Amino acid sequence: MENLKVTVFQAYLFWENIEKNLLNLALRLSMGVREKTDIIILPEMFNTGFSMNSEALAEEMGGKTMQWMEKMAHQYNCVVTGSIIIKENNQYFNRLIWMEPDGKNQHYDKRHLFGMGDEDHHFSPGKEKLIVELKGWKIRLAICYDLRFPVWLRNVDQEYDILLLVANWPDKRSAHWKALIPARAIENQSYVIAVNRVGHDGNQIYHSGLSMCLDPYGNTVYYKPEDEDLYTFSINYEELVKVRRQFPFLKDADRFTIN
């Protein structure tokens, strides 16, 4: 199995301004992507910020932002992923798009909606998990608040190798972020790649980034607080195999079901 080269973009986002975000993100990518990568990961609601103004900001599938994602994926010959607001069948979803260089795409709708921020009043929850494959790696997709729900993210029968999470996680709950990500990596014997945003949003909520990649031991591969950052690193499949072979505890795990 090949190593995977990952580019994370811990970005500053302009509040509810799709055009400005797409222009800025494209510019930053053009300046910052200096080597071949397999995937570019953007934050949750990367084109708007974490807004509840779903009716005004939603796009249809295949709309402007997805066209932009397809262009970026083709330009850098890699997968581009991040979540946006999508309207479908008169419902609104916080939808994580997995865009491949040839324009093929899959999506995951956020299951756990953040009730404290009224997300559940403006969006419909997803019902299905999604595991995608890239260069033989199996990748489980998740969004922000999902991080708090270990049963939903449980790695049953080693069905995934990477838990990929995009977020708008506020600084005032950063202690939880820094505790839960290592827990998910260790308990699921997987890499965890979690990409957050930085800066204040339109509600004056501050985000300190803290994007990170942890290996299955819980060791840090990448970590960045505070500043906007566009960074590429590699993760090693042999390390994953080694951990699972030396300490095969997942075979003893409880079997959970979700109704």
Side-chain angles (χ1 to χ4, degrees), residues 22 54 73 75 95 126 132 150 152 161 172 178 180 189 196 208 211-212 221 232 245:
L22 297 185
S54 54
Q75 180 175 331
R95 180 166 289 179
V132 296
W152 175 242
D161 306 311
K172 59 187 174 183
K178 289 184 284 187
L180 293 172
Q189 288 196 315
N196 198 18
S208 54
S211 296
M212 67 181 81
V221 177
T232 300
R245 183 174 60 244

Side-chain angles (χ1 to χ4, degrees), residues 2-202:
E2 295 181 68
N3 290 350
L4 196 69
K5 191 161 282 190
V6 177
T7 299
V8 298
F9 193 176
Q10 177 171 280
Y12 176 85
L13 304 179
F14 296 94
W15 186 246
E16 297 185 347
N17 193 328
I18 293 174
E19 193 71 36
K20 192 170 184 179
N21 280 311
L22 297 185
L23 286 171
N24 181 63
L25 292 168
L27 176 63
R28 299 284 186 170
L29 289 172
S30 70
M31 295 166 53
V33 179
R34 299 301 186 193
E35 56 185 302
K36 179 67 178 74
T37 187
D38 297 309
I39 182 171
I40 296 170
I41 308 171
L42 305 171
E44 178 184 21
M45 292 193 189
F46 66 85
N47 64 339
T48 60
F50 187 63
S51 171
M52 298 301 101
N53 194 8
S54 54
E55 291 187 23
L57 297 172
E59 300 180 21
E60 304 282 343
M61 289 293 284
K64 177 193 297 185
T65 301
M66 286 189 66
Q67 292 174 32
W68 178 90
M69 294 179 76
E70 182 177 353
K71 180 181 177 181
M72 294 297 104
H74 178 75
Q75 180 175 331
Y76 296 102
N77 191 29
C78 70
V79 169
V80 174
T81 191
S83 92
I84 60 177
I85 302 172
I86 290 289
K87 182 180 181 181
E88 188 173 73
N89 298 324
N90 292 317
Q91 293 180 296
Y92 298 94
F93 298 94
N94 185 347
R95 180 166 289 179
L96 181 53
I97 305 294
W98 179 267
M99 181 64 71
E100 299 178 20
D102 60 2
K104 294 179 181 177
N105 61 82
Q106 301 179 68
H107 66 263
Y108 163 73
D109 292 330
K110 186 177 184 180
R111 177 178 176 88
H112 298 95
L113 302 178
F114 186 54
M116 290 171 59
D118 286 337
E119 189 179 13
D120 55 333
H121 294 160
H122 299 275
F123 293 87
S124 296
K127 296 181 174 62
E128 304 293 334
K129 67 182 180 182
L130 178 64
I131 297 173
V132 296
E133 190 167 312
L134 181 60
K135 294 179 70 173
W137 292 76
K138 294 171 289 184
I139 304 172
R140 174 74 185 269
L141 303 182
I143 303 175
C144 204
Y145 196 44
D146 287 331
L147 181 62
R148 291 186 179 273
F149 301 93
V151 175
W152 175 242
L153 299 177
R154 189 66 175 170
N155 193 5
V156 179
D157 296 326
Q158 298 181 11
E159 62 185 356
Y160 67 80
D161 306 311
I162 301 169
L163 173 61
L164 188 159
L165 181 99
V166 302
N168 269 228
W169 195 284
D171 177 69
K172 59 187 174 183
R173 287 186 288 278
S174 61
H176 300 181
W177 172 265
K178 289 184 284 187
L180 293 172
I181 292 172
R184 298 294 90 85
I186 294 165
E187 73 192 6
N188 291 303
Q189 288 196 315
S190 75
Y191 285 93
V192 176
I193 304 171
V195 179
N196 198 18
R197 63 158 295 175
V198 291
H200 289 88
D201 66 15

